[in-house]
């Protein structure tokens, strides 16, 4: 709590990456579940070790009220085959973005999921176990998906490939089903690239915060794309430490 007293702890699963509040003030957190989910348990004896990534919803008392294996979501919606289970970490769920209000393209209670090792964004409806959208595009091993308008999401594209291109902030428009880049020239000029993790956050005035996890750097661009400030997490000896899930308060 505010006075640093431990209120509750949940160690039922291995929780990791993002933590987000939904419209009912429940927490959505990625997790690795064990024992494996029902379907995975039937087939995993054939394949050995496996990371069964799942979306997990907890109330603010720390009680799990919903969990669902992401592999099962994909299998049940016929987006992958069982051969996916040959890999130890085929999903690598790294962000859950809950939908807070209805629009033409989604419903309150839906979630967007970022699957790093599939280079895919899922739009999933837990209430009906329905996969609404399976989004692939000009992004690779992305990290962080945000809803930024009634018809757009942003995707932090690590762009982690052999070409060593800069990381990007992509906007996907559900109305025209097209991708655009935001402040890409500015990110190139800043030599902005993070191999893993990282994030982007748009503020209400149109400014953009980006986090370069591997190099311990955070940059804020104003709505015109001008760099307002840059922070590097460097100690007095000049050593740089990682930054994780930065937020503007």
């Amino acid at each position: 709590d505010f006075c640093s007293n431990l209120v509750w702890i949940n160690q039922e699963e291995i929780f990791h990456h993002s933590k987000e509040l939904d419209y009912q003030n429940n927490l959505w957190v990625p997790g690795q579940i064990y024992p494996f989910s029902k379907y995975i348990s039937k087939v995993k004896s054939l394949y050995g070790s496996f990371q069964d990534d799942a979306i997990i919803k907890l109330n603010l008392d720390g009680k799990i009220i919903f969990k669902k294996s992401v592999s099962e979501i994909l299998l049940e919606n016929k987006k992958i085959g069982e051969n996916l289970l040959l890999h130890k970490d085929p999903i690598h769920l790294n962000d859950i973005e809950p939908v807070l209000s209805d629009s033409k393209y989604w419903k309150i209670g839906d979630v967007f999921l970022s699957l790093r090792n599939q280079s895919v964004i899922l739009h999933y409806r837990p209430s009906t176990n329905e996969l609404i959208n399976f989004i692939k595009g000009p992004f690779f091993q992305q990290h962080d998906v945000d809803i930024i308008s009634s018809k757009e999401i942003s995707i932090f594209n690590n762009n982690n490939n052999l070409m060593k291109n800069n990381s990007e902030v992509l906007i996907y428009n559900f109305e025209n089903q097209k991708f655009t880049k935001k402040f890409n020239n500015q990110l190139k000029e800043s030599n902005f690239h993070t191999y893993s993790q990282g994030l982007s956050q748009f503020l209400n005035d149109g400014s953009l915060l980006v986090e370069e996890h591997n190099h311990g750097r955070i940059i804020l661009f104003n709505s015109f794309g001008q760099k307002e400030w840059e922070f590097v997490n460097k100690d007095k000896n000049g050593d740089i430490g990682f930054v994780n899930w930065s937020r503007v308060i």
Side-chain angles (χ1 to χ4, degrees), residues 20 95 97 142-148 153-158 167-171 182-183 187 192 194 197-203 207-213 217-221 245-248:
E20 300 287 349
D95 190 24
E97 175 78 0
Q142 77 294 333
H143 188 276
D144 188 28
V145 54
D146 295 325
I147 298 167
I148 60 171
I153 58 172
S154 67
I155 300 167
F156 182 84
N157 177 24
N158 290 74
S167 297
E168 301 171 335
V169 178
L170 301 179
I171 311 299
K182 191 71 172 180
F183 298 156
L187 292 171
F192 184 88
T194 181
Q197 300 197 49
L199 60 79
S200 56
Q201 180 187 359
F202 284 97
L203 307 185
S207 55
L208 174 67
L209 179 86
V210 287
E211 177 190 278
E212 192 181 29
H213 163 76
R217 182 167 60 152
I218 304 170
I219 303 174
L220 181 74
F221 297 100
W245 295 102
S246 307
R247 290 291 187 268
V248 171

Side-chain angles (χ1 to χ4, degrees), residues 35-235:
F36 295 135
S37 50
K38 185 177 179 180
Y39 182 89
I40 302 302
S41 295
K42 291 180 180 179
V43 296
K44 271 322 295 167
S45 60
L46 301 175
Y47 302 120
S49 62
F50 184 77
Q51 294 182 11
D52 196 1
D53 268 342
I55 57 173
I56 302 177
K57 179 166 68 170
L58 305 93
N59 64 24
L60 291 186
D61 293 320
K63 180 182 178 181
I64 293 176
I65 54 180
F66 177 89
K67 63 180 175 182
K68 179 71 174 178
S69 164
V70 178
S71 293
E72 286 195 351
I73 292 172
L74 294 171
L75 287 163
E76 289 165 356
N77 286 275
K78 297 179 172 55
K79 287 296 182 182
I80 58 171
E82 289 185 11
N83 61 341
L84 180 81
L85 308 183
L86 290 165
H87 304 279
K88 180 181 178 180
D89 183 19
I91 303 298
H92 200 98
L93 172 66
N94 58 28
D95 190 24
I96 304 172
E97 175 78 0
V99 173
L100 305 181
S101 60
D102 289 337
S103 86
K104 180 180 177 181
Y105 302 100
W106 47 73
K107 292 183 179 180
I108 192 170
D110 292 356
V111 289
F112 284 90
L113 313 176
S114 171
L115 313 187
R116 176 186 185 267
N117 287 354
Q118 292 292 308
S119 295
V120 163
I121 301 295
L122 299 185
H123 173 197
Y124 176 65
R125 186 159 294 156
S127 61
T128 59
N129 190 34
E130 187 178 2
L131 187 56
I132 309 299
N133 287 290
F134 183 88
I135 303 168
K136 291 185 74 72
F139 54 89
F140 188 69
Q141 295 195 338
Q142 77 294 333
H143 188 276
D144 188 28
V145 54
D146 295 325
I147 298 167
I148 60 171
S149 76
S150 62
K151 61 181 180 181
E152 295 170 310
I153 58 172
S154 67
I155 300 167
F156 182 84
N157 177 24
N158 290 74
N159 215 6
N160 179 22
N161 56 40
L162 296 176
M163 300 300 293
K164 295 185 178 180
N165 295 321
N166 65 290
S167 297
E168 301 171 335
V169 178
L170 301 179
I171 311 299
Y172 180 68
N173 186 308
F174 284 81
E175 189 172 63
N176 59 27
Q177 299 182 353
K178 291 183 178 180
F179 290 91
T180 55
K181 298 178 182 180
K182 191 71 172 180
F183 298 156
N184 199 50
N185 289 335
Q186 291 88 334
L187 292 171
K188 285 182 178 179
E189 290 171 2
S190 298
N191 194 26
F192 184 88
H193 181 260
T194 181
Y195 172 84
S196 61
Q197 300 197 49
L199 60 79
S200 56
Q201 180 187 359
F202 284 97
L203 307 185
N204 291 336
D205 64 355
S207 55
L208 174 67
L209 179 86
V210 287
E211 177 190 278
E212 192 181 29
H213 163 76
N214 294 138
H215 301 112
R217 182 167 60 152
I218 304 170
I219 303 174
L220 181 74
F221 297 100
N222 65 24
S223 59
F224 300 103
Q226 299 163 332
K227 186 183 291 187
E228 291 280 349
W229 53 261
E230 177 178 304
F231 167 77
V232 178
N233 187 28
K234 185 184 296 186
D235 66 15

